[in-house]
Amino acid sequence: MKKNARKIAKYKAEGRKIAALTAYDYPSAKFIDEAGIDIILVGDSAANVVLGYESTTKITIDEMLIFTAAVSRGAKNALITADMPFLTYNISFEKALENAGKFIQAGADAVKIEGGSDYIIELTKKLTDSGIPVMAHLGFTPQYVNTIGGNLIQGKNFETTLKILEAAKKLEAAGAFSIVLEMVPKESAAFITKNLAMPTIGIGAGAACDGQILVLNDLIGKFDDFSPKFARKYFDSKAIIIDAASRYIEDVRMGSFPNNEESFQLSDEERCKLENYTQTK
Ligand code: KIV
């Protein structure tokens, strides 16, 4: 059955952990939906793991809309959340609402926006009031990497943890249905989780979060430029793709691909005509 933001938000009170993964294409979305995933995030991590950009700040809204539409065609049950890319929601409320609307029209059920500034809190309210569920994102927020000064763990002491909690509470009051906590020490994430009514979805934030999210390409070993400490590889796609491609290359070079079963064939009568024609030449 199709999941919605309200249902996901209730999982916390029911004590049901939320399993989320990213996906960017139709077949992956279809398969992880079949596996029973709760949330599919069309993450701007697509910038790195699909498009080969060095930073998530490089991906455009048009690229993200194509991925979102493909995922929505594949997933019938999971809540589809689209990551709004860099500067598509920070320039003005009007532009942000217009861009968020594009993601909903492309098939997303919700959007994710990073940060906890007054502007983001106000925007969360405006989006929610407009009928667009919002997933918040605090801790390390990759779109702010240049102002943060690198991929740095956030909430490393009491004061900074409290700051994250305060911003999260405001986002919750503004209507966010859940919040991603990225690269936060597990004790800090547990404290934030305990003090929020909305579910926390952790990535590099320990097991006490109400749910977990991973980048699918890390999970299946389909990206090896870098591997974050918090990622768990369940499958080695790289090895499997290299093995399959190597065997295919060998078969092509040896002439053993394609075989008869993999080829279309003429009827005996038509084949004879060709052979006779060749013989008369
Ligand atoms: O873009 C993404 O994949 C994300 C997750 C890491 C939460 O934002």
Side-chain angles (χ1 to χ4, degrees), residues 172-195:
E172 178 176 275
F177 74 93
S178 64
I179 182 164
V180 167
L181 291 180
E182 181 164 353
M183 285 174 62
V184 175
K186 63 187 175 121
E187 298 84 353
S188 309
F191 172 79
I192 296 164
T193 298
K194 199 173 75 184
N195 287 288

Side-chain angles (χ1 to χ4, degrees), residues 22 24 41 43-46 83 112 114 137 180 182 203 213 215:
T22 68
Y24 320 97
L41 173 71
D44 62 359
S45 47
D83 221 354
K112 178 166 83 58
E114 295 183 7
H137 185 156
V180 167
E182 181 164 353
I203 177 157
I213 183 159
V215 168

Side-chain angles (χ1 to χ4, degrees), residues 59-68 85 88 99 102-103:
I59 199 162
T60 67
I61 187 162
D62 290 338
E63 289 164 333
M64 285 297 292
L65 285 168
I66 291 171
F67 294 138
T68 303
T88 60
N99 286 335
K102 289 183 186 169
F103 282 106

